[in-house]
Amino acid sequence: MSFEKEIARRRTFGIISHPDAGKTTLTEKLLLFGGAIQEAGAVKNNKIKKTATSDFMEIERQRGISVATSVLAFIYKDKKINILDTPGHKDFAEDTFRTLTAVDSVIVVIDVAKGVEEQTKKLVEVCRMRKIPMIVFINKLDREGKDAFDLLDEVEQKLGLSVTPLSFPIGMGYDFKGIYNIYEKNINLFSGNSKSNIEDTIAFDDVSSPELDTMIGEKAAGELRDNLELVHGVYPPFDTNAYLEAQQQPVFFGSALNNFGVRELLDCFIEIAPAPRPKKAEERLVMANETDFSGFVFKIHANMDPKHRDRLAFIKIVSGTFERNKPYLHVRNKKKLKFSSPNAFFAEKKEIVDVSYPGDIVGLHDTGNFKIGDTLTNGEALNYKGIPSFSPEHFRYINNADPMKSKQLYKGIDQLMDEGVAQLFTLELNGRKVIGTVGALQYEVIQYRLEHEYGAKCTYENFPVHKACWVDAEADNDEFREFKRVKQKFLAIDKRGQLVFLADSQFSLQMTQQKYPTVKLRFTSEFE
Ligand code: G4P
């Protein structure tokens, strides 16, 4: 197959949702369709169970397992589909944000009863900012939930999306009869026990036909006709370009658990979802079909087994082909590196591959060369943009508890930060180190890993910070110098050497912004 065709057949995406909306179940059903797994239940272990929130070792163990499910690839109707796993657990939200830099589109799963939830809001906001094409899947239609139109409204209001339904439910919960597929103009009837089999669909392009009444009953047929009329009246027709430009989001309804509405979703997805898209580097826009290889690290997974200390760096291929044993330039280190056993991911297995294409993810064994955001190329000095850091939500001083092991401690901290476990800030005033995390759980993870992997001990001390803001330090004027002098106690340097203002309250943040209007404070580390 030609290089261009290989690119055109790839679909690399992520599924995002609030925990429990059905992301894991949907992933599994997509794999079933792709013939990549034979039975339901196979992907379950990818999930961080609710009960494990205070047991971080269990979480790490599960994260270890989830290396295998970090990327799930399968072939469906000749398309190579790469699903990138996005942890739903909020303490690992930063992992998910970073993974979103490597996807070409997303599917957002929403629970019909719960509607738009907190985590969905945050993730969709990131996708909106990055103009990632999104398809919405409203799940659990076999249960009683919110009215479909109310839910569509809620999605528009709370997520700031412009939706258009491509399927519509016939009833819901106890009365759930099936789905009318607006996109394909057919009906899929719900039999209630379709857990393991994949349903047949009935072509049905004229809903005014009396046949509909015989099929689903007069009442349901009447309701469906009214609903579809309303859909056509209220929502614009689906426009592929608007979807690709993230200006319109198609919506599907279904029940992942019952394998219902999933085929419709997948068939439409492979047709409309984008193949690998061009990506902005600091230097220029890079097209997927350029012959020279380039890619970037979006995730690093540490091996929890002390006997095999190496890490796996996940690279998204942006352009060209990645070949085994060929030297590539590690742009930040200005070093050529060769990889003798790059891993590709297929269903739940990893295997060594010779050639990978744009859109694919390769896992490279790493002994400490890589940081999140690093770029690899054929030789050109490119630096990919788009791995921002967000303000952490928790901040603590980290202290060395074993003075004999300070070297180990600093090395450990350094490497864990490269993996993106947390963020490190060094106070300008006294050089003290502050660790910022999204979830409180990471502190335990860091302490445990420092001790078991680096032989170092640490303690923490509270440091009340409300938000970290990156300071745009370009304007070196009197106001900026005054800001630096007055706020000295609250200034720190992050790991990339950027200046950060650690505001201790919302009030002080507002006051600072008012008092020093020319000092730009940003809430992510990436300035566009
Ligand atoms: P997540 O990855 O988004 O966190 O969600 P997951 O797929 O694990 O689903 C969360 C719960 O919702 C699971 O039940 C799952 O079986 C259920 N679920 C998913 N899709 C549907 C659906 O279409 N209809 C109904 N009724 N339930 C659905 P659980 O009891 O928490 O877990 P389990 O014991 O089934 O593993």
Side-chain angles (χ1 to χ4, degrees), residues 15-143:
I15 302 179
I16 56 176
S17 71
H18 192 84
D20 275 349
K23 180 171 72 73
T24 315
T25 313
L26 179 64
T27 309
E28 186 175 278
K29 295 302 154 92
L30 294 174
L31 289 174
L32 273 172
F33 276 102
I37 53 169
Q38 264 63 51
E39 57 180 316
V43 195
K44 271 287 164 204
N45 50 15
N46 151 4
K47 192 182 164 191
I48 294 166
K49 291 275 175 226
K50 271 173 290 182
T51 46
T53 43
S54 58
D55 181 356
F56 78 91
M57 267 317 288
E58 176 58 13
I59 285 179
E60 277 301 303
R61 193 185 64 77
Q62 294 192 21
R63 264 161 65 81
I65 294 169
S66 82
V67 173
T69 54
S70 286
V71 185
L72 293 157
F74 63 94
I75 310 271
Y76 178 73
K77 296 192 173 166
D78 204 38
K79 297 282 188 295
K80 163 92 189 285
I81 298 179
N82 295 314
I83 309 182
L84 307 197
D85 183 39
T86 52
H89 195 293
K90 79 170 175 27
D91 284 10
F92 296 102
E94 192 121 358
D95 276 7
T96 298
F97 293 145
R98 283 191 294 254
T99 300
L100 291 178
T101 62
V103 301
D104 296 304
S105 70
V106 301
I107 293 179
V108 185
V109 182
I110 290 173
D111 181 323
V112 70
K114 295 195 181 136
V116 171
E117 295 173 88
E118 207 42 49
Q119 202 61 9
T120 321
K121 257 191 184 143
K122 282 193 192 154
L123 295 170
V124 167
E125 198 181 320
V126 174
C127 295
R128 261 197 306 128
M129 269 163 42
R130 314 191 76 84
K131 298 202 168 43
I132 300 176
M134 283 178 255
I135 296 180
V136 178
F137 181 72
I138 297 185
N139 190 28
K140 307 198 186 180
L141 263 286
D142 57 311
R143 285 201 187 155

Side-chain angles (χ1 to χ4, degrees), residues 188-464:
N188 195 354
L189 292 180
F190 183 62
S191 63
N193 60 359
S194 49
K195 280 188 184 150
S196 53
N197 53 22
I198 290 161
E199 299 262 322
D200 277 340
T201 42
I202 309 155
F204 213 102
D205 58 0
D206 180 14
V207 287
S208 65
S209 152
E211 230 182 291
L212 185 68
D213 304 67
T214 343
M215 207 187 274
I216 59 175
E218 256 175 56
K219 188 167 167 265
E223 269 172 23
L224 177 64
R225 288 183 190 113
D226 290 348
N227 286 340
L228 291 179
E229 209 176 301
L230 201 54
V231 166
H232 294 309
V234 174
Y235 296 100
F238 174 65
D239 173 351
T240 314
N241 281 334
Y243 155 71
L244 291 174
E245 282 158 22
Q247 285 161 4
Q248 189 187 65
Q249 290 75 25
V251 180
F252 284 87
F253 291 84
S255 165
L257 187 65
N258 291 291
N259 223 339
F260 201 79
V262 177
R263 187 197 59 78
E264 286 81 350
L265 173 72
L266 183 58
D267 282 349
C268 176
F269 170 82
I270 57 167
E271 224 176 279
I272 65 171
R277 304 201 298 167
K279 188 161 175 78
K280 258 192 206 161
E282 268 163 37
E283 297 73 13
R284 65 183 184 87
L285 187 69
V286 180
M287 310 305 286
N289 64 358
E290 292 183 19
T291 44
D292 280 342
F293 160 74
S294 68
F296 65 96
V297 180
F298 66 95
K299 175 178 182 134
I300 294 179
H301 217 299
N303 197 334
M304 289 295 286
D305 179 352
K307 287 194 215 86
H308 304 278
R309 209 26 82 59
D310 65 344
R311 313 187 289 181
L312 202 59
F314 290 78
I315 316 269
K316 159 91 186 275
I317 300 176
V318 178
S319 65
T321 52
F322 179 91
E323 290 165 43
R324 188 153 86 98
N325 281 327
K326 204 171 157 183
Y328 291 116
L329 177 68
H330 183 304
V331 176
R332 181 175 53 84
N333 285 353
K334 299 189 178 67
K335 249 187 0 195
K336 289 258 179 170
L337 299 173
K338 258 203 263 189
F339 303 92
S340 59
S341 50
N343 281 295
F345 303 86
F346 205 78
E348 304 133 280
K349 295 190 298 283
K350 286 191 300 187
E351 47 197 47
I352 292 175
V353 274
D354 291 326
V355 186
S356 307
Y357 294 90
D360 284 341
I361 310 298
V362 286
L364 303 178
H365 290 281
D366 171 42
T367 47
N369 283 315
F370 287 121
K371 264 193 206 186
I372 300 265
D374 278 349
T375 304
L376 272 184
T377 70
N378 241 2
E380 187 177 349
L382 288 174
N383 287 284
Y384 279 111
K385 293 172 80 129
I387 311 252
S389 297
F390 293 83
S391 174
E393 290 177 17
H394 303 263
F395 295 83
R396 291 184 197 168
Y397 284 119
I398 182 163
N399 299 321
N400 186 0
D402 181 353
M404 304 295 287
K405 298 279 171 65
S406 63
K407 228 168 113 186
Q408 286 86 333
L409 181 78
Y410 292 120
K411 178 164 182 236
I413 294 178
D414 211 45
Q415 291 206 346
L416 294 182
M417 300 305 128
D418 284 352
E419 274 177 37
V421 176
Q423 294 180 51
L424 180 74
F425 302 100
T426 308
L427 292 185
E428 286 240 285
L429 193 65
N430 52 19
R432 284 192 75 179
K433 298 202 182 301
V434 173
I435 302 265
T437 65
V438 175
L441 204 62
Q442 269 92 337
Y443 289 106
E444 282 178 66
V445 173
I446 293 168
Q447 199 167 37
Y448 180 91
R449 291 191 52 191
L450 284 173
E451 189 167 341
H452 289 83
E453 293 172 35
Y454 299 92
K457 284 201 168 68
C458 73
T459 58
Y460 298 113
E461 213 179 299
N462 269 342
F463 185 48

